[in-house]
Amino acid sequence: MLRALGLASKGVALAHPNPVVGAVIERNEVIVGEGFHQFDQLDHAEIVALNAAGEQARGATMYVTLEPCCHTGRTGPCTRAIIEAGITHVIVAMLDPNPRVAGKGVEELRRAGVHVSVGVAENAAREANADFARWILTRRPLVTLKSALTLDGRIAAKRGATTAISNEQSRASVQRLRHEADAVLTGVGTVMVDDPLLTDRTGEPRRRKLLRVIADSKLRIPLKSKIVTSADGDVLLATTQPLTSTKARALQRAGVEVMRVKAGRGRVDLEALVAELGRREILNLLLETGAEMNASAIESGIVDKLVLYYAPRVIGVEGVPFAALRGKVALRLPVLRDVRSVQYGSDTVIEGWTRDVYGNHGTRRKN
């Protein structure tokens, strides 16, 4: 199963809007077939593995990270192919949260006499497809808020200033977060201060360009900013202003897609923006924003996961806090669950979830 999970990870940025899935077929303690899913190549991981195994699949065991599908979509049901190939035992990491499957695949295999076990390395499998679960159950992307902080919770030395906080190892891991994401969202304030590109610089393959999204209610973004001048069908600007305005038309001529979104407290309504991204089959959204948008995102309830990079330094009270809304004395931060820490050199990364994106779906059932 660990081998299957490793194969599934090869589908990152290649499988969405489908889940990442890996499959391994073993016969007499020898791997005879394996594969992972890529959306553009159609075949699911189970079919890739079965094709590789050929006749050696008969009487073999299949390890698969996600319950085999039992319905016809872009391809036929994997359950039927598994049964016809003569696989006798299927070991499944987790049930599919997709309501069209959700245990039905396992039941079909069992009715055909295939022995099925469920729950091996389930937690790792659930984490690998948390974004797919969030989207398939709600049609909203999984939203991860990432931020670099000092030990006293500051993200910059002062407002309007760029402050380097994290080390090189942490910055490299942020590129991995971008690679895993379908879109990255920032606010116009961050663009005006930092002038970021917000590109995926891992060099690893992806089937869709990373969509770079800017929330800019008043169309303040400079036309000469890096994100505008590098636009190539991969920049979306959400605003509350008319699309017929002079600035909107100038951005469109520069290759930026400008989208009008309803206002919330004078700003772009983040819930409405996230809903629109879900409609565009964005499963995984990374937020890289400043203090005010961090606060707005948390307050609006769109954030599913926090990834906080703490550097061993202190700025003091004059620094910019992690999350702050003008005119508000305090912000109620969520209590995180399933918290864990990772060390990148001298930096400590804290990861935690604000909710269980699976709810009662995709959970382990009796073998």
Side-chain angles (χ1 to χ4, degrees):
M1 188 60 76
L2 292 177
R3 173 70 179 171
L5 286 165
L7 287 166
S9 70
K10 293 185 177 183
V12 169
L14 297 173
H16 284 175
N18 286 350
V20 295
V21 184
V24 174
I25 298 173
E26 172 265 324
R27 183 176 180 180
N28 297 326
E29 299 184 356
V30 175
I31 292 176
V32 296
E34 61 183 23
F36 65 97
H37 176 57
Q38 300 179 67
F39 186 85
D40 289 339
Q41 296 187 14
L42 294 180
D43 282 343
H44 290 185
E46 299 94 319
I47 305 303
V48 176
L50 287 170
N51 289 340
E55 284 301 313
Q56 294 185 85
R58 194 159 300 279
T61 297
M62 174 181 283
Y63 294 79
V64 62
T65 59
L66 186 69
E67 175 185 13
C69 67
C70 54
H71 62 279
T72 299
R74 297 165 70 231
T75 63
C78 290
T79 49
R80 185 183 305 161
I82 291 169
I83 293 165
E84 292 176 353
I87 294 285
T88 56
H89 190 177
V90 176
I91 299 175
V92 179
M94 62 171 284
L95 297 183
D96 193 333
N98 185 346
R100 296 184 68 184
V101 186
K104 301 182 185 71
V106 166
E107 291 170 5
E108 183 174 321
L109 291 172
R110 286 174 174 163
R111 283 197 303 269
V114 179
H115 181 68
V116 182
S117 303
V118 181
V120 176
E122 181 182 27
N123 289 340
R126 284 165 63 90
E127 183 171 351
N129 273 314
D131 47 15
F132 172 74
R134 179 66 171 159
W135 181 76
I136 201 68
L137 294 171
T138 67
R139 294 298 168 179
R140 302 289 192 273
L142 175 77
V143 178
T144 300
L145 174 53
K146 161 262 166 187
S147 189
L149 302 86
T150 59
L151 293 178
D152 56 343
R154 307 292 160 169
I155 62 173
K158 61 181 180 179
R159 287 192 179 276
T162 299
T163 305
I165 292 178
S166 350
N167 62 29
E168 289 186 11
Q169 290 171 275
S170 293
R171 290 195 289 273
S173 79
V174 170
Q175 289 299 318
R176 184 64 194 175
L177 290 178
R178 288 186 190 172
H179 183 67
E180 293 170 356
D182 299 315
V184 58
L185 169 64
T186 195
V188 68
T190 298
V191 174
M192 295 176 74
V193 172
D194 296 336
D195 196 18
L197 272 172
L198 294 179
T199 51
D200 173 4
R201 295 191 284 277
T202 61
E204 297 181 21
R206 39 185 323 132
R207 64 171 294 263
R208 301 184 291 186
K209 291 180 180 179
L210 177 66
L211 181 65
R212 297 176 287 167
V213 186
I214 308 108
D216 181 4
S217 60
K218 305 299 182 185
L219 289 180
R220 295 187 295 140
I221 191 167
L223 292 173
K224 293 184 179 180
S225 61
K226 290 177 182 177
I227 203 164
V228 171
T229 57
S230 65
D232 185 23
D234 59 348
V235 176
L236 172 66
L237 188 140
T239 185
T240 61
Q241 302 302 301
L243 302 186
T244 55
S245 69
T246 301
K247 184 68 172 285
R249 287 176 173 170
L251 288 165
Q252 291 164 349
R253 287 194 297 271
V256 175
E257 179 185 354
V258 183
M259 177 182 68
R260 194 172 188 184
V261 179
K262 72 176 184 178
R265 299 181 183 177
R267 297 184 175 90
V268 168
D269 187 299
L270 293 179
E271 290 181 88
L273 176 55
V274 166
E276 172 58 26
L277 294 175
R279 284 189 287 271
R280 295 180 180 220
E281 296 187 336
I282 298 298
L283 277 60
N284 189 317
L285 174 63
L286 178 65
L287 302 190
E288 297 193 46
T289 64
E292 290 189 28
M293 197 163 167
N294 283 346
S296 295
I298 291 169
E299 188 178 58
S300 68
I302 65 168
V303 177
D304 300 297
K305 184 179 182 181
L306 288 172
V307 180
L308 305 177
Y309 292 78
Y310 283 94
R313 55 181 299 189
V314 174
I315 286 179
V317 294
E318 69 278 8
V320 180
F322 159 65
L325 282 174
R326 290 180 183 176
K328 293 201 87 171
V329 177
L331 175 70
R332 186 174 181 180
L333 296 174
V335 177
L336 300 183
R337 55 195 298 167
D338 300 323
V339 176
R340 70 181 181 188
S341 64
V342 182
Q343 204 72 29
Y344 289 115
S346 59
D347 290 355
T348 301
V349 184
I350 305 296
E351 300 180 2
W353 298 80
T354 66
R355 61 171 63 91
D356 179 0
V357 298
Y358 284 90
N360 294 321
H361 301 270
T363 55
R364 183 176 177 180
R365 296 185 183 181
K366 187 177 180 181
N367 289 348

